[in-house]
Amino acid sequence: MKRSPSTLGFVHRFISGKDRRLTLVLLHGTGGNEEDLIPLGSVLAPDASLLSPRGKVVENGLPRFFHRLAEGLFDVEDLKFRSRELADFVNDASATYGFEPKSVALVGYSNGANIAAGMILGEFLVPAAAMLFRPMVPFTPDNPPNLNGLRVFISSGNFDQMVPRGESERLARLLRDAGAKVTHNREDSSHGLTNEEARKASRWLLDSLTE
Ligand code: MLT
C-alpha cells in the first residue's frame, strides 16, 4: 500500500538520486538526527537515493534507535521490536517513494550501525549491502540467519573508547558464519568517523556493485 510520507511513522528525509539501482538508508548515532549522515551518504554514493529516518527513542533529550539499560548494555527485546519496526518503515517507504527494496544498502554509525546489524541478524530486512561504522553485536540470534549474498563493510576504530575491541570481530564472525561476505576495515582512530574511511567505504561500495 502506498502511504503518504507523513504517515510512514518516522520523521525522515528522502532525497531522490539519479541512480535508481541504489538507495542508502542512513542511520545516525545517539544524539543525531535525519540530517546527520546526509553528507556521508553523498560521499559514499553521490548518485544514490537517500532515506534518512530519525530514531524514535529519546535518552536525556538525545534521539537514538532503541533503548539501552546502560552504555553498551542493550535492551534486547526493545532492540528487536524496533529493528522490525524500522524494517517495516523501509519497506513502506519503498512503496511511497518508488524504490526497490532490493536496491537498499544500510549505512549505520554507532547506534545506527547497531540497529542495522539488528535488522540483518533478525532477518527483518536483508539488504543488498551494509556499511557499519563502529558497530557492536546487537544480540546473538537464536537461529543462524541466512545471509548468503549479503556484502558487509565493517569499519572499527583501534582507539575507540566506546566499542570494546573484540566486538567488531565478533560481529564479523557472526555475519560470515551466516554466509555474508564481510570486509573488516580498521582505522587508527577513535569513535568518530574519518574522511579516509568514508572514501574506503565508497570504493568498497562501487566495487561491490560492479562485481
Ligand atoms: C549504542 O547504545 O548503540 C552504543 O553504545 C553506541 C551509541 O551510544 O550510540
Side-chain angles (χ1 to χ4, degrees), residues 100-159:
E100 286 293 323
K102 61 178 188 305
S103 76
V104 164
L106 296 178
V107 178
Y109 167 64
S110 191
N111 182 247
N114 296 340
I115 195 146
M119 286 196 272
I120 293 169
L121 289 173
E123 287 184 286
F124 303 125
L125 185 152
V126 180
M131 282 158 279
L132 308 177
F133 297 93
R134 308 296 183 275
M136 297 171 71
V137 176
F139 56 82
T140 307
D142 299 331
N143 302 307
N146 178 357
L147 303 179
N148 282 326
L150 171 65
R151 291 152 196 275
V152 184
F153 181 88
I154 291 180
S155 196
S156 43
N158 286 331
F159 312 121

Side-chain angles (χ1 to χ4, degrees), residues 28-31 59 63-68 70-74 79 109-115 134-136 162-163 191:
H28 62 79
T30 301
E59 183 189 85
R64 45 183 280 123
F65 284 97
F66 56 87
H67 286 287
R68 60 181 165 183
E71 197 175 291
L73 186 61
F74 303 151
L79 200 168
Y109 167 64
S110 191
N111 182 247
N114 296 340
I115 195 146
R134 308 296 183 275
M136 297 171 71
M162 199 177 274
V163 179
H191 200 64

Side-chain angles (χ1 to χ4, degrees), residues 39-54:
L40 175 65
S42 310
V43 170
L44 292 176
D47 291 334
S49 296
L50 306 177
L51 175 67
S52 187
R54 184 193 304 174

Side-chain angles (χ1 to χ4, degrees), residues 25-29 33-42 44 50 52 107-109 112 133 193:
V25 175
L26 305 171
L27 304 168
H28 62 79
N33 63 31
E34 65 281 11
E35 302 296 335
D36 267 34
L37 296 190
I38 302 277
L40 175 65
S42 310
L44 292 176
L50 306 177
S52 187
V107 178
Y109 167 64
F133 297 93
L193 289 187

